[in-house]
Amino acid sequence: MATFKYHYAAASPPAPSVLLNVSRPDGSRSVSNLAAIADTVADVTVLPLAKIAELGLIQFDDEIILAFDGTSQTLPTYYVRLQVRDFPPVELAMVGSDDVLDAVLGRDVLNRYKIILDGPRQTLEISDV
């Protein structure tokens, strides 16, 4: 079992964060060490549209996303290969948005791992099960 520990991002308040490797499904373009907030409330993973453009991803659909404030918006969806640290990569559909500065790692990915949030120590520990 592999385990990796991350320090919280310097936000206000501090937030659990990880680094991701993201690529096109065919692996032809990739972005390494992309900062992502680990958001256990988010259903899906979100990438900034600038990173999607950098990867040259092709939109395949739209998804209606309900925000925590109750508003909804339709966002484009893309297939990617995503890797958390040295864990095996996973292929998934995710959404793109101009409303995020860093990627948002949602439960569609987080639920694949054992996650320990240690607020007082401001660390996030991720293990494969």
Side-chain angles (χ1 to χ4, degrees):
M1 175 173 79
T3 300
F4 301 101
K5 191 178 283 189
Y6 294 90
H7 292 287
Y8 277 25
S12 183
S17 65
V18 299
L19 295 175
L20 305 175
N21 299 319
V22 183
S23 69
R24 295 173 58 112
D26 65 6
S28 62
R29 289 189 197 167
S30 63
V31 174
S32 298
N33 297 319
L34 178 65
I37 299 298
D39 188 346
T40 60
V41 178
D43 296 337
V44 296
T45 296
V46 182
L47 285 182
L49 286 176
K51 291 298 176 188
I52 288 169
E54 184 179 332
L55 290 166
L57 298 175
I58 299 169
Q59 179 180 346
F60 76 90
D61 205 354
D62 291 306
E63 188 169 336
I64 298 172
I65 302 296
L66 184 64
F68 66 90
D69 64 0
T71 60
S72 65
Q73 58 181 312
T74 302
L75 296 175
T77 56
Y78 306 87
Y79 282 115
V80 299
R81 183 180 300 153
L82 183 143
Q83 183 180 26
V84 177
R85 189 66 186 247
D86 294 330
F87 295 129
V90 296
E91 289 188 15
L92 70 146
M94 42 69 58
V95 299
S97 175
D98 273 332
D99 294 334
V100 295
L101 297 176
D102 291 323
V104 176
L105 192 62
R107 289 190 321 273
D108 57 341
V109 175
L110 292 172
N111 283 344
R112 299 167 189 258
Y113 306 104
K114 178 180 175 184
I115 307 286
I116 299 173
L117 296 175
D118 186 340
R121 290 190 178 91
Q122 294 188 0
T123 59
L124 166 70
E125 190 173 297
I126 301 177
S127 303
D128 56 351
V129 181

